[in-house]
Amino acid sequence: MFDRKHNCLVVVGAQWGDEGKGKLVDVLAESADLVVRYQGGANAGHTVVVGDRQFVLHQIPSGILHPQAICIVGNGVVLDPETFFAECDQLEAQGIAVAGRLFVSDRAHVVLPFHQLLDQASEKQQQIGTTGRGIGPAYEDKIGRRGVRVADLIRGTGARDLLVTRIERANALLAMLGATVRADLAEHLELAERLGARLRPLATDTGLLVHRAVRDGRRVLLEGAQGALLDIDHGTYPFVTSSSTTAGGAAIGAGIGPTAIDGVLGVVKAYTTRVGNGPLPTEVGGELEGRLRALGHEFGATTGRPRRCGWFDATVVRYSVRVNGLTGLAVTKLDVLDTFAEIPVGVSYQLDGDDCHEFPSDVELLERVQPVYEVLPGWECSLAGARRLADLPAQARAYLDRLQDLAGAPIRYVSVGTRRDQIIEV
Ligand code: IMP
């Protein structure tokens, strides 16, 4: 079901992550030639249900479940090699052939155990609610020009000198942060040697592979992780992740020019969720939030943390349409709202008594905004069997129409369940 209008399509999360990108990419990857992860790392958790089997992918592109798709971990990803290979082994054990169709950019930076120690130690002070996977410290090292790249690990003993200085620095930082744990050089050297050898046959200039595929008119999917509101520039800073989760990050992180991209699909839940700290203006609270969480199985795929739940926030999605240049929307989990008699939708904000139509940059303002709700009638029946727009009850279609109007981008897909076939192409 590849989006036929596009040859190089970016799929991004248009809220705070966990929108169901994994399922969308899996569905679209059925006829894709190349699927590329371009940012983030093991903080992501993309869940894909195939028949009665569930796969949770953290670093490997969701396209891996389609045998014809070549999968790439691009230069913009921070790769945790230990968990990456654990994921490869798990897929192979589940009968998914990975060898020969998975490549890793030699420019990608690696996340090492000391990054995780630093993440966990910093978190005690900063309280962002990170996943603890070392993502922030690895990107800090990258931007600070002291990162360790896949190219260093595969050089054999090349990483040794680098690691000596990195571990010294990490231990000084850990002491400064008041942590009692220390990074162990011998452990890092062993890991670098063992996993460097395993990475060697997979590592290549993946930007060149993506470039050639685009040039030759093959179908390329660029798979984003997290969501626009967690973007380092455009998200609810400082409660964000450390990468460019918006579509602009796709070109950089896949190693191609922006003109190669010809479509951007934003995935949105029919409501809103967020894991970790920071503002969530339409957060529901109380028993109703518990109901939404239980119905939507809103627990983190990576950390198991309960997700905070809120109603659809059109100010967020409108903003997301703008900063991502979305050409279409995929609305997921519409079926989760099946039992609600009335469904509030946040159409705009009020700030200190004034209308506020644009998403504020300052989290202090965001904490103070009051959503303005419009209450739409629910459909109170199961959508699980709907396969065409015409199968949806009038209230569900009206709900989608209203979301589309408020968001300002056309809805292209609607997902009504976890299974591959539970999707409507609009
Ligand atoms: P980090 O990416 O682990 O540094 O976490 C920073 C923020 O991003 C925290 O609020 C996390 O909960 C959130 N986050 C990171 N990855 C994901 C994801 O895949 N889905 C949803 N939230 C995420």
Side-chain angles (χ1 to χ4, degrees):
M1 198 196 239
F2 193 86
D3 194 305
R4 281 173 283 279
K5 285 197 183 127
H6 306 289
N7 275 327
C8 184
L9 179 72
V10 183
V11 179
V12 288
Q15 295 158 320
W16 276 277
D18 307 316
E19 298 92 350
K21 296 176 291 297
K23 170 174 173 174
L24 249 293
V25 170
D26 171 62
V27 167
L28 295 171
E30 192 186 330
S31 50
D33 297 304
L34 214 63
V35 184
V36 188
R37 262 289 299 274
Y38 58 82
Q39 46 71 227
N43 49 351
H46 293 167
T47 306
V48 183
V49 178
V50 182
D52 55 6
R53 292 194 300 170
Q54 175 167 302
F55 299 86
V56 182
L57 300 159
H58 298 283
Q59 299 187 85
I60 297 179
S62 307
I64 200 74
L65 304 177
H66 292 280
Q68 89 295 341
I70 299 291
C71 290
I72 285 178
V73 176
N75 58 275
V77 168
V78 284
L79 181 87
D80 177 335
E82 192 85 82
T83 56
F84 172 76
F85 283 117
E87 210 172 314
C88 290
D89 293 343
Q90 165 108 36
L91 282 170
E92 294 274 5
Q94 288 175 286
I96 309 292
V98 170
R101 44 186 294 256
L102 179 62
F103 299 95
V104 175
S105 169
D106 51 8
R107 288 185 170 85
H109 282 245
V110 287
V111 181
L112 293 166
F114 77 80
H115 290 120
Q116 291 166 9
L117 296 178
L118 285 170
D119 192 1
Q120 288 149 21
S122 314
E123 185 57 14
K124 291 209 173 88
Q125 297 184 352
Q126 285 186 286
Q127 310 233 320
I128 304 292
T130 73
T131 58
R133 298 294 191 270
I135 304 298
Y139 277 119
E140 278 177 45
D141 279 355
K142 172 177 176 173
I143 301 301
R145 295 165 296 184
R146 57 178 171 267
V148 180
R149 305 198 304 173
V150 168
D152 299 314
L153 284 202
I154 63 174
R155 211 185 297 126
T157 55
R160 189 190 167 85
D161 293 345
L162 273 182
L163 284 175
V164 171
T165 55
R166 300 310 178 268
I167 297 292
E168 271 173 19
R169 188 173 184 281
N171 283 336
L173 280 174
L174 285 167
M176 204 178 78
L177 289 165
T180 50
V181 287
R182 292 292 178 268
D184 182 60
L185 178 62
E187 178 201 349
H188 281 77
L189 291 175
E190 183 279 324
L191 182 150
E193 195 174 325
R194 176 168 48 87
L195 299 179
R198 243 188 125 176
L199 274 170
R200 211 164 287 133
L202 278 61
T204 186
D205 178 353
T206 52
L208 187 59
L209 300 183
V210 187
H211 167 78
R212 286 184 178 148
V214 173
R215 182 197 62 192
D216 297 345
R218 299 176 75 203
R219 288 174 158 172
V220 177
L221 264 183
L222 305 177
E223 175 181 5
Q226 293 86 44
L229 278 295
L230 290 171
D231 184 278
I232 188 72
D233 285 272
H234 304 293
T236 48
Y237 193 89
F239 300 101
V240 292
T241 190
S242 299
S243 65
S244 296
T245 59
T246 44
I252 295 170
I256 49 172
T259 46
I261 295 166
D262 61 4
V264 186
L265 183 71
V267 187
V268 292
K269 259 180 208 173
Y271 49 99
T272 312
T273 62
R274 163 165 215 167
V275 206
N277 302 330
L280 179 60
T282 58
E283 191 160 19
V284 176
E287 228 171 86
L288 203 52
E289 181 166 353
R291 182 170 159 209
L292 211 42
R293 182 179 299 127
L295 288 167
H297 307 290
E298 297 296 354
F299 296 89
T302 299
T303 57
R305 290 180 291 176
R307 296 180 185 138
R308 297 157 63 195
C309 299
W311 300 117
F312 188 86
D313 186 337
T315 314
V316 163
V317 179
R318 253 194 320 269
Y319 173 66
S320 212
V321 169
R322 169 160 67 88
V323 295
N324 285 297
L326 298 184
T327 54
L329 293 173
V331 178
T332 60
K333 292 191 141 181
L334 188 62
D335 55 299
V336 170
L337 301 177
D338 280 355
T339 58
F340 290 86
E342 292 185 324
I343 310 171
V345 171
V347 294
S348 65
Y349 297 150
Q350 286 249 305
L351 178 62
D352 303 333
D354 292 325
D355 290 343
C356 172
H357 290 290
E358 298 298 335
F359 193 75
S361 312
D362 182 351
V363 277
E364 288 199 12
L365 297 182
L366 259 175
E367 292 288 6
R368 292 215 313 268
V369 297
Q370 294 293 325
V372 177
Y373 289 106
E374 201 172 282
V375 180
L376 301 185
W379 40 94
E380 297 186 272
C381 62
S382 171
L383 302 185
R387 296 293 175 270
R388 297 168 309 144
L389 214 48
D391 297 337
L392 294 177
Q395 297 91 329
R397 269 180 287 151
Y399 185 76
L400 291 173
D401 285 346
R402 189 66 184 126
L403 299 196
Q404 175 170 279
D405 285 351
L406 288 164
I411 295 176
R412 305 286 319 278
Y413 301 94
V414 181
S415 171
V416 291
T418 54
R419 292 201 323 262
R420 269 180 177 166
D421 65 323
Q422 289 180 303
I423 194 148
I424 298 169
E425 196 176 353
V426 178

